[in-house]
Amino acid sequence: MKNLYDYSYEKLQFHLVNAGFKLYNATQVFQWLYKKRITDFDQMSNISKHLRTYLKNHFTTSQIGCFTQQEAEDETVKFLFSLDDKHLIETVWMHHYYGDSLCVTSQVGCNIGCSFCASGLKKKTRNLRVSEMVLQVLKAEALQNQRVSHVVLMGTGEPFDNFENVMDFIDIINHPHAFEIGKRHITVSTAGIVPKIDAFAKRQSQVNLAISLHATNDALRSKLMPINKVYPIKKLLDSAKRYTETTHRRVTFEYLLLKGVNDSMKDADDLSDLLRGLNCYVNLIPYNSVAEFNYQGSDLATQERFYKRLLKRGITATLRQEKGADIDAACGQLRIKEDE
C-alpha cells in the first residue's frame, strides 16, 4: 500500500476526488496528519466512516525508526533513522539565533562523489520517497518535542537528482494545512545539475537555492567535485544568472574552506572576480574533518581573513558557525560508522 505521507495536498485531492470523495476531505486528512499528528484512521473523527475505511484499505501511515542519535555540546543533534528496507539515513537538528533548522537527506547514498564528503563513500542505492523525507521532519520534531522553523535539503544525496519527490516534499512542508514552513525558510542545495537548476527556476518558487561551488577554477573544482566535468563553472554560473533573472531571487554559493587548498587571499580575490555582478552571496563553511580523507578545515583566523577579504571586495558573505564538531556531524559520517 502507498504511504499517505507520499501525497502532496494537490495529489491527495486529485486521488480522493477520483475515488468519489470531496475536495475538502483532503483538507481534513492533512489536518489530522500534520496539525494533530494522528496516524490512526479510526481516530479521524470528523471524516465519514466510508472514507476512513477507504483510507485503511488503500494507505499506510508507517513511520521511520530512530536507530541512534548523537548530541553535540552546542546542542546540535544528529539522528540516524532506519527505513522500512533497513537502510539508514541521517538527519541533523541545528539551533540558530533565528530558530531551529533541520537538515534533511534526499537519497540513500550519493553518486556525486565529492572528494571531501563522507556521503559519497556509500554510492546511491535509491531515491528517498516523499514520505521518507516528510517523516524525517515529523520524527525529529517528535524526538525534540518542538517544531523546526527552517528546513534545508543539504543532507546525504543530491536533491535535484530526486527532483519531483523533493518538489512534492517542499509543497507539503510549506502547505498551510501541514507544517506551514515559509518558502523563504526552505533551502535546496545542489552540487550544480544545470538542467535541474533551470527547471527549478521555471517553477517560480520562493524557495532558496544554494549551489556548492568550493573552487574558482575548473581544474580544482573538478578535483573536488567530479560533476564539474559535466557542468563546468561557466555553465554553472550561466544557470545561476538565469535563475536570478527568472525568479528575481539571489542565489547562495556555498564555499567550503579547506586548509591549503582553496583558502588563500588569491582564492578570495578570484572568487570575488568570478561572482561580481551576480545577484548572490557566499556562505563560507568550516570543514568538519572526515577520517577517510586528508582534507583539513581552515583555522579560524584564515576563515575570518577570507571572509573580510570578500566583504572588502564588495561580495556579500556569511561565515557559517561550525556545528557539531564534537560528533559525527559531517554528511555521511554517522551512517558510515554504523555500517562498518
Side-chain angles (χ1 to χ4, degrees):
M1 286 193 290
K2 190 83 169 178
N3 195 312
L4 194 52
Y5 292 109
D6 281 317
Y7 284 75
S8 68
Y9 182 75
E10 290 73 19
K11 288 182 178 179
L12 184 59
Q13 278 188 320
F14 181 81
H15 181 95
L16 292 179
V17 167
N18 278 351
F21 298 100
K22 304 296 184 181
L23 281 173
Y24 70 82
N25 290 137
T27 300
Q28 294 173 313
V29 173
F30 250 55
Q31 289 178 340
W32 281 109
L33 287 177
Y34 298 112
K35 296 300 186 185
K36 300 177 183 178
R37 307 290 168 102
I38 296 298
T39 59
D40 183 347
F41 297 128
D42 286 327
Q43 293 184 34
M44 298 180 180
S45 56
N46 68 336
I47 62 178
S48 68
K49 183 178 180 181
H50 176 45
L51 177 53
R52 292 200 301 272
T53 300
Y54 179 84
L55 293 173
K56 284 189 285 186
N57 289 337
H58 290 83
F59 296 103
T60 178
T61 56
S62 62
Q63 305 290 298
I64 59 177
C66 186
F67 184 84
T68 190
Q69 69 182 71
Q70 296 180 344
E71 184 168 352
E73 290 183 2
D74 63 9
E75 297 184 320
T76 296
V77 181
K78 171 165 274 194
F79 302 104
L80 194 61
F81 291 138
S82 56
L83 308 178
D84 288 342
D85 57 7
K86 308 305 180 184
H87 284 301
L88 301 176
I89 58 170
E90 297 175 347
T91 310
V92 182
W93 187 294
M94 294 169 286
H95 299 279
H96 304 280
Y97 70 90
Y98 53 78
D100 288 358
S101 67
L102 194 70
C103 183
V104 171
T105 282
S106 58
Q107 296 179 314
V108 178
C110 183
N111 280 343
I112 298 299
C114 297
S115 66
F116 50 80
C117 181
S119 293
L121 292 171
K122 295 287 186 179
K123 295 302 181 184
K124 174 187 167 184
T125 302
R126 64 175 177 85
N127 287 327
L128 290 191
R129 298 187 294 273
V130 178
S131 58
E132 292 168 328
M133 289 181 276
V134 169
L135 288 167
Q136 289 176 64
V137 185
L138 286 169
K139 188 70 172 180
E141 288 189 339
L143 290 169
Q144 291 292 97
N145 195 30
Q146 63 186 101
R147 301 292 175 88
V148 296
S149 58
H150 296 68
V151 169
V152 294
L153 282 144
M154 295 183 183
T156 299
E158 164 56 57
F160 282 169
D161 191 33
N162 189 12
F163 189 83
E164 292 302 331
N165 284 350
V166 164
M167 294 301 105
D168 280 353
F169 166 69
I170 290 171
D171 285 345
I172 291 170
I173 63 173
N174 170 249
H175 201 276
H177 295 313
F179 294 90
E180 288 189 275
I181 298 173
K183 287 188 176 180
R184 297 195 179 195
H185 288 181
I186 303 168
T187 301
V188 180
S189 176
T190 178
I193 301 179
V194 167
K196 295 301 174 64
I197 294 174
D198 291 336
F200 186 64
K202 290 176 181 177
R203 300 232 172 180
Q204 291 285 349
S205 173
Q206 294 299 299
V207 172
N208 301 309
L209 175 65
I211 298 174
S212 297
L213 186 58
H214 308 320
T216 60
N217 62 77
D218 285 325
L220 178 57
R221 191 167 189 269
S222 293
K223 179 181 177 181
L224 297 175
M225 305 178 68
I227 194 174
N228 191 75
K229 298 172 185 177
V230 181
Y231 304 114
I233 289 174
K234 185 180 185 307
K235 287 185 178 180
L236 186 60
L237 294 184
D238 286 346
S239 72
K241 184 177 180 181
R242 290 192 295 272
Y243 170 84
T244 61
E245 290 173 345
T246 301
T247 65
H248 307 291
R249 303 286 321 280
R250 69 178 179 177
V251 64
T252 299
F253 287 101
E254 297 170 318
Y255 193 93
L256 195 65
L257 288 166
L258 301 169
K259 184 177 181 179
V261 176
N262 65 352
D263 63 349
S264 70
M265 289 303 97
K266 183 182 185 304
D267 290 315
D269 290 345
D270 289 346
L271 184 59
S272 304
D273 293 339
L274 190 67
L275 300 182
R276 185 167 289 109
L278 187 61
N279 184 15
C280 69
Y281 80 94
V282 176
N283 188 12
L284 299 172
I285 306 172
Y287 180 60
N288 279 321
S289 296
V290 177
E292 290 81 0
F293 303 125
N294 292 323
Y295 296 110
Q296 297 179 12
S298 307
D299 58 63
L300 184 57
T302 300
Q303 295 174 32
E304 291 178 345
R305 281 197 300 270
F306 198 102
Y307 166 68
K308 290 177 181 177
R309 186 75 164 201
L310 293 183
L311 296 184
K312 184 177 180 181
R313 303 196 84 224
I315 301 297
T316 302
T318 57
L319 179 57
R320 183 189 294 179
Q321 182 182 358
E322 190 173 12
K323 293 285 185 181
D326 55 321
I327 60 173
D328 298 305
C331 288
Q333 277 186 304
L334 183 55
R335 176 172 173 254
I336 292 295
K337 176 187 287 188
E338 294 298 338
D339 281 344
E340 289 176 348

